[in-house]
Amino acid sequence: MDRSQLLKGLLDIIVLRVLDTDDGYGYEILHRLRKAGFDDLGDASVYGTLRRLYRAGYLSTYVQPSESGPHRKYYSLTEPGRKYLRQAHDAWEDVSAKMRVLFDTPGKGRP
């Protein structure tokens, strides 16, 4: 199965959830995603998602100097971003529960 389409649909809430714990800049956000097991998310997809979430008002940005290079643009959740994440979490829980029921129901070729 090609997981990329599934991840594409979940990328907004994945990125928002990573930023719910702490602000971050692009490369560091990618590192957190990789550490969480999302190795197959492309850099361009994540950076594009950050820009789109910012334009939607779910993220704000600020710049901080870096000791090891140029200034870094940090992303932070806004209150509308937190609200969207809560709604997405509720929707995820609802769909997950329904999918568990479907997968727990015996079908052809399944015990």
Side-chain angles (χ1 to χ4, degrees):
M1 173 184 179
D2 181 14
R3 293 173 24 132
S4 64
Q5 288 303 313
L6 181 60
L7 288 175
K8 192 178 204 179
L10 296 171
L11 193 52
D12 285 5
I13 61 174
I14 291 168
V15 169
L16 289 173
R17 178 61 184 123
V18 165
L19 288 170
D20 191 33
T21 56
D22 197 15
D23 298 353
Y25 60 93
Y27 179 78
E28 189 227 355
I29 293 166
L30 284 166
H31 178 73
R32 286 194 228 166
L33 291 168
R34 303 279 190 285
K35 190 174 177 182
F38 293 105
D39 298 323
D40 40 359
L41 289 175
D43 295 8
S45 295
V46 173
Y47 282 107
T49 298
L50 288 167
R51 285 190 300 274
R52 191 170 30 74
L53 292 170
Y54 172 77
R55 284 192 308 270
Y58 297 144
L59 298 176
S60 61
T61 62
Y62 58 94
V63 175
Q64 285 203 330
S66 168
E67 294 177 10
S68 61
H71 296 330
R72 293 182 173 149
K73 183 196 292 188
Y74 279 76
Y75 292 89
S76 176
L77 252 66
T78 61
E79 192 49 44
R82 290 186 198 291
K83 181 179 178 184
Y84 178 79
L85 181 58
R86 284 191 301 271
Q87 292 169 340
H89 179 259
D90 291 345
W92 171 259
E93 290 296 327
D94 179 59
V95 170
S96 302
K98 291 172 181 169
M99 290 302 296
R100 275 192 294 279
V101 169
L102 284 176
F103 280 116
D104 289 344
T105 302
K108 290 183 180 180
R110 281 197 60 168

